[in-house]
């Protein structure tokens, strides 16, 4: 059973480790990544299900060449051919996830990919940012009535809404959106994580964050702003791939997972008044105390009563009402001032 909604409905943060091409073309690396991210505390391992033909066509014209960035000089077809995760690996990777106690998730890129994932009982789907505008694909994925996570990098309000409507039109309401900056790696200035709160309010669905930046600062900030999912690319230290340049090593991923838990625990719930940990210091709050010996019938003045630490006496807000009134009993210096000690109160 896919545990995404169970976790976020309880206020937790669901952490997805994205393997992508970081297996480096070796199934043993893929299995090793599964084990490492499970030990690091991930809730889910995500892969991408495609062939080069799922995404593009084999064409040498200028439009199909990558110009700039991490993949500068690649022809699109060659890039995806080089980075694909073979269909025949999927069952083994999914089974290994189940053995390790984590969910399995994948991103399909055409109907054939979806049909294949259905054949191995994939329990949830992810839509990549670049496919946000492929409404026929989203409708087909959503028609499987399984949880669907949609990454919104580069998406306008209208485009995000159209993607949501594609899901709702086939009666799939199990949708989560991800704020995303589709740069590889993403720079701090382009994150705009304040959008997370706006997305939650505007679209009325859970919102997470897909992160392509270096380090874990963006993920920690995103959680503090209400992100219920964190997706992060992970890699093995000694394996190079087309995605390794913006991916996080396993050790840093484990630190990130712990930090996310800390941030969520810090956020807690809405609460006023002392918490359990504060109760020991509650007695150090200020109250009114007798600062000089006072005889019965003597007037309270600014010299013989004071607002000081600790607690035990009347709250300081009554100070001005007490000045000028008389003591009903003898009061010793250092004793808390109580209502029953005061005439007329």
């Amino acid at each position: 059973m896919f545990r995404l909604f169970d976790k976020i409905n309880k206020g937790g943060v669901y952490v997805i480790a994205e393997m992508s091409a970081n297996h480096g073309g070796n199934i043993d690396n893929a299995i090793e990544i599964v084990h490492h991210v499970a030990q690091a505390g991930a809730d889910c391992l995500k892969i991408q299900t495609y062939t080069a033909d799922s995404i593009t066509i084999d064409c040498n014209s200028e439009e199909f060449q990558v110009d700039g960035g991490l993949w500068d000089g690649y022809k699109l077809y060659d890039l995806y051919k080089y980075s694909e995760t073979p269909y025949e690996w999927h069952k083994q990777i999914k089974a290994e996830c189940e053995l390790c106690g984590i969910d399995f998730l994948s991103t399909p890129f055409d109907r054939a990919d979806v049909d294949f994932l259905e054949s191995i009982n994939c329990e949830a789907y992810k839509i990549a940012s670049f496919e946000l505008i492929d409404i026929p694909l989203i409708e087909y994925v959503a028609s499987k009535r399984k949880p669907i996570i949609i990454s919104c990098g580069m998406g306008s309000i209208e485009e995000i809404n159209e993607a949501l409507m594609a899901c709702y039109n086939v009666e799939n309401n199990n949708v989560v959106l991800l704020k995303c900056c589709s740069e590889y790696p993403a720079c701090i200035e382009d994150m705009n994580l304040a959008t997370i709160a706006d997305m939650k309010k505007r679209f009325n669905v859970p919102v997470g964050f897909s992160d392509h930046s270096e380090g874990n600062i963006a993920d920690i900030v995103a959680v503090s702003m209400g992100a219920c999912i964190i997706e992060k690319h992970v890699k093995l230290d000694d394996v190079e791939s087309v995605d390794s340049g913006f991916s996080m090593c396993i050790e840093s991923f484990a630190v990130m997972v712990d930090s996310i838990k800390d941030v969520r625990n810090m956020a807690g719930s809405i609460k006023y008044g002392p918490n359990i940990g504060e109760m020991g210091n509650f007695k150090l709050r200020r109250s009114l105390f007798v600062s000089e010996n006072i005889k019965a019938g003597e007037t309270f003045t600014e010299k013989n009563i004071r607002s000081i630490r600790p607690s035990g006496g009347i709250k300081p807000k009554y100070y001005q009402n007490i000045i000028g009134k008389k003591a009903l009993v003898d009061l010793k210096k250092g004793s808390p001032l109580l209502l029953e000690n005061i005439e007329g109160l």
Side-chain angles (χ1 to χ4, degrees):
M1 178 181 177
F2 199 70
R3 288 158 284 194
L4 167 63
F5 287 104
D6 182 56
K7 183 157 190 177
I8 65 176
N9 288 340
K10 292 177 181 177
V13 177
Y14 187 85
V15 180
I16 300 172
E18 164 67 271
M19 179 164 60
S20 192
N22 286 323
H23 48 68
N26 187 319
I27 182 63
D28 292 333
N29 291 335
I31 299 304
E32 186 177 351
I33 288 174
V34 172
H35 285 270
H36 282 312
V37 299
Q39 292 168 4
D43 296 291
C44 177
L45 176 94
K46 189 180 89 66
I47 65 172
Q48 298 183 16
T49 301
Y50 63 83
T51 64
D53 295 294
S54 301
I55 302 179
T56 190
I57 58 174
D58 191 359
C59 181
N60 294 322
S61 65
E62 185 177 345
E63 291 87 350
F64 292 84
Q65 309 296 320
V66 180
D67 182 19
L70 198 61
W71 304 308
D72 183 47
Y74 270 101
K75 184 173 75 173
L76 284 180
Y77 192 87
D78 293 341
L79 174 66
Y80 300 131
K81 189 72 176 175
Y82 175 61
S83 59
E84 66 187 28
T85 302
Y87 272 26
E88 56 267 26
W89 293 5
H90 281 52
K91 271 190 176 182
Q92 186 177 349
I93 293 171
K94 183 174 182 289
E96 207 66 31
C97 288
E98 293 168 356
L99 285 174
C100 292
I102 61 175
D103 291 335
F104 170 86
L105 173 67
S106 190
T107 302
F109 292 84
D110 69 1
R111 287 191 172 214
D113 296 337
V114 178
D115 292 341
F116 169 73
L117 287 168
E118 283 291 291
S119 75
I120 64 169
N121 195 30
C122 186
E123 295 181 286
Y125 292 98
K126 163 83 186 295
I127 300 296
S129 292
F130 294 83
E131 278 62 47
L132 173 69
I133 57 175
D134 191 339
I135 299 304
L137 174 63
I138 293 174
E139 285 181 341
Y140 190 66
V141 172
S143 72
K144 305 308 175 183
R145 305 290 180 84
K146 294 176 179 178
I148 180 169
I149 301 168
I150 303 176
S151 200
C152 300
M154 303 177 288
S156 66
I157 293 172
E158 180 182 8
E159 289 166 345
I160 296 170
N161 195 59
E162 287 172 349
L164 279 172
M165 289 304 106
C167 298
Y168 299 157
N169 288 341
V170 293
E171 299 182 350
N172 188 336
N173 297 321
N174 298 316
V175 186
V176 178
L177 300 177
L178 298 185
K179 175 69 182 77
C180 178
C181 176
S182 297
E183 298 173 10
Y184 305 89
C187 68
I188 296 298
E189 293 79 8
D190 290 340
M191 294 305 221
N192 297 313
L193 296 180
T195 312
I196 291 170
D198 185 76
M199 289 173 68
K200 290 171 69 175
K201 182 178 179 180
R202 185 182 299 275
F203 301 111
N204 196 32
V205 296
V207 176
F209 176 51
S210 179
D211 184 27
H212 303 137
S213 69
E214 297 176 345
N216 64 18
I217 294 176
D219 307 284
I220 291 170
V221 172
V223 171
S224 73
M225 290 186 165
C228 62
I229 292 177
I230 293 294
E231 179 188 54
K232 191 78 170 180
H233 284 70
V234 294
K235 66 177 181 179
L236 300 173
D237 285 335
D238 56 349
V239 177
E240 293 293 325
S241 79
V242 296
D243 293 329
S244 58
F246 64 93
S247 300
M248 178 178 273
C249 69
I250 301 297
E251 292 80 6
S252 296
F253 180 79
V255 172
M256 184 196 76
V257 172
D258 288 340
S259 296
I260 286 170
K261 291 177 182 176
D262 288 341
V263 171
R264 189 63 196 88
N265 289 334
M266 287 177 192
S269 57
I270 297 171
K271 186 184 187 307
Y272 297 94
N275 58 42
I276 294 173
E278 291 173 320
M279 290 305 296
N281 289 325
F282 202 68
K283 64 183 180 181
L284 296 180
R285 299 175 95 197
R286 285 196 169 222
S287 67
L288 298 182
F289 266 74
V290 177
S291 55
E292 292 182 357
N293 291 333
I294 301 174
K295 296 290 186 181
E298 189 175 341
T299 300
F300 292 110
T301 70
E302 294 179 356
K303 290 186 177 181
N304 60 23
I305 62 169
R306 287 183 57 195
S307 169
I308 60 171
R309 297 183 185 185
S311 62
I314 302 168
K315 286 185 176 180
K317 67 180 181 178
Y318 297 109
Y319 181 77
Q320 293 299 334
N321 293 333
I322 295 169
I323 297 297
K325 290 189 168 48
K326 298 184 183 299
L328 292 174
V329 295
D330 290 346
L331 297 170
K332 185 179 179 181
K333 178 181 178 180
S335 60
L337 184 61
L338 306 175
L339 286 175
E340 55 263 34
N341 303 151
I342 305 164
E343 184 180 56
L345 288 182

